[in-house]
């Protein structure tokens, strides 16, 4: 596994670099193998990225060769303001030409257990067979508590080894979600974390100041995402990077 961390002065430059990286990775992967699989996260951080990918970066990729998935979803209808699908669809996917069968959303309108089972079936169909899906790219965020996707600190979901997608009740948020499990995240070719804002600084600093396999690192689910045969890239703004030790910081950004 290769891990790299880049720092940006603000969300705009972080989002632009993320868009450029995703477009380049997608175009190159499609060139090499004819398709590209990506799983998206929700929340605020990726909103500007999605807008950029649906606008000025849209021409850079033959999007009809891309299969879109989600790392997690809230158990709400697809037109609900809370929906991670809606977050990406309105800003990006609705603005690019996509054939039927390339958007694999988690059906938040179903019961949590049914939505997770249906998504797992869809993953197995899309990736073929009983093995672990290997996404070309998974875009993740990190909460101030260190959660990522809908994998929360101390949750039993962190120990799931068999299932690909599971229903989880987010105590802090008092809501049901469906999330990919760590075995799927850690089987990705590339993980791209987007982390911005001072509220993330303490958790991110603790994560990078801890040894990779230490208990401290385990306290943050984001610290458990370590794609064994892949690349782990962090794009972080200065506010969130305040406590990250200088020896792990690389500048200039990857697009320079
Ligand atoms: C979700 C996301 C979640 C998100 C973090 C960070 O469904 O909310 O998948 O894991 O990435 O909570 O969210 P922000 O980008 O809003 O800080």
């Amino acid at each position: 596994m290769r891990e790299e961390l880049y720092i940006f002065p603000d969300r705009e430059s972080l989002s632009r670099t993320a868009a450029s990286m995703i477009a380049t990775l997608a175009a190159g992967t499609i060139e090499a193998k004819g398709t590209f699989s990506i799983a998206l996260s929700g929340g605020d951080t990726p909103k500007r990225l999605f807008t950029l990918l649906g606008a000025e970066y849209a021409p850079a990729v033959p999007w009809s060769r891309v299969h879109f998935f989600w790392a997690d979803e809230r158990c709400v209808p697809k037109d609900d303001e809370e929906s991670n699908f809606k977050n990406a669809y309105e800003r990006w996917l609705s603005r690019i030409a996509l054939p039927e069968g390339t958007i694999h959303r988690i059906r938040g309108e179903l019961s949590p257990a049914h939505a997770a089972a249906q998504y797992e079936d869809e993953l197995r169909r899309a990736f073929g067979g009983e093995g672990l899906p290997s996404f070309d790219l998974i875009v993740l965020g990190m909460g101030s508590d260190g959660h990522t996707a809908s994998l929360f600190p101390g949750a039993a979901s962190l120990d799931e080894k068999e299932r690909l997608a599971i229903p989880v009740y987010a105590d802090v948020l008092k809501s049901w979600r469906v999330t990919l499990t760590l075995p799927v995240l850690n089987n990705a070719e590339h993980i791209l974390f987007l982390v911005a804002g001072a509220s993330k600084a303490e958790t991110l600093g603790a994560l990078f100041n801890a040894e990779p396999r230490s208990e401290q690192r385990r306290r943050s689910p984001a610290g458990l995402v370590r794609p064994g045969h892949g690349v782990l890239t962090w794009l972080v703004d200065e506010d969130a990077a305040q406590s990250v030790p200088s020896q792990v910081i690389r500048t200039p950004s990857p697009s320079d």
Side-chain angles (χ1 to χ4, degrees):
M1 182 190 90
R2 190 174 89 233
E3 186 171 20
E4 51 198 20
L5 179 141
Y6 298 93
I7 297 217
F8 298 85
D10 51 41
R11 286 186 190 221
E12 180 66 16
S13 55
L14 182 155
S15 302
R16 286 186 170 278
T17 297
S20 171
M21 284 182 68
I22 291 170
T24 303
L25 184 60
T29 305
I30 290 165
E31 182 74 26
K33 67 175 191 174
T35 184
F36 182 73
S37 56
I38 183 171
L40 307 173
S41 286
D44 293 330
T45 308
K47 287 180 175 175
R48 178 63 180 148
L49 163 66
F50 294 158
T51 301
L52 290 167
L53 288 169
E56 64 189 89
Y57 286 84
V61 178
W63 297 109
S64 63
R65 312 300 291 274
V66 177
H67 282 265
F68 297 88
F69 298 81
W70 276 261
D72 69 331
E73 183 57 280
R74 290 82 181 278
C75 291
V76 295
K78 66 180 181 178
D79 59 357
D80 189 297
E81 281 311 307
E82 282 293 298
S83 164
N84 290 346
F85 163 80
K86 179 177 176 152
N87 200 3
Y89 186 77
E90 283 190 341
R91 292 175 173 80
W92 176 16
L93 307 189
S94 59
R95 299 166 191 273
I96 53 180
L98 293 174
E100 279 295 304
T102 55
I103 295 181
H104 308 270
R105 73 179 180 90
I106 301 170
R107 300 185 183 286
E109 67 276 17
L110 303 175
S111 73
H114 189 186
Q118 193 278 338
Y119 191 51
E120 180 154 313
D121 289 347
E122 182 133 1
L123 286 166
R124 292 204 187 284
R125 269 198 305 277
F127 285 89
E130 287 304 304
L132 272 178
S134 181
F135 282 93
D136 293 308
L137 173 64
I138 302 178
V139 181
L140 294 173
M142 188 189 80
S144 55
D145 62 353
H147 82 262
T148 190
S150 286
L151 298 168
F152 292 88
S157 55
L158 297 177
D159 298 317
E160 176 60 47
K161 296 284 184 281
E162 302 303 322
R163 298 196 55 188
L164 308 182
I166 54 174
V168 296
Y169 184 71
D171 286 316
V172 175
L173 303 167
K174 301 278 181 276
S175 63
W176 280 95
R177 300 197 170 183
V178 172
T179 187
L180 290 179
T181 56
L182 277 171
V184 178
L185 301 184
N186 286 333
N187 198 42
E189 293 298 323
H190 202 134
I191 295 278
L192 179 63
F193 267 106
L194 310 181
V195 184
S199 69
K200 318 290 177 76
E202 184 181 347
T203 299
L204 199 66
L207 191 155
F208 276 99
N209 278 297
E211 286 308 308
R213 304 214 181 293
S214 66
E215 190 45 40
Q216 168 67 36
R217 189 126 182 175
R218 277 184 56 85
R219 284 200 201 107
S220 290
L224 299 178
V225 178
R226 302 188 65 71
H229 57 74
V231 179
L232 172 57
T233 302
W234 298 78
L235 304 186
V236 179
D237 76 353
E238 283 172 0
D239 287 344
Q242 294 170 51
S243 305
V244 173
S246 56
Q247 67 267 25
V248 304
I249 291 173
R250 290 166 184 73
T251 48
S253 71
S255 59
D256 291 356

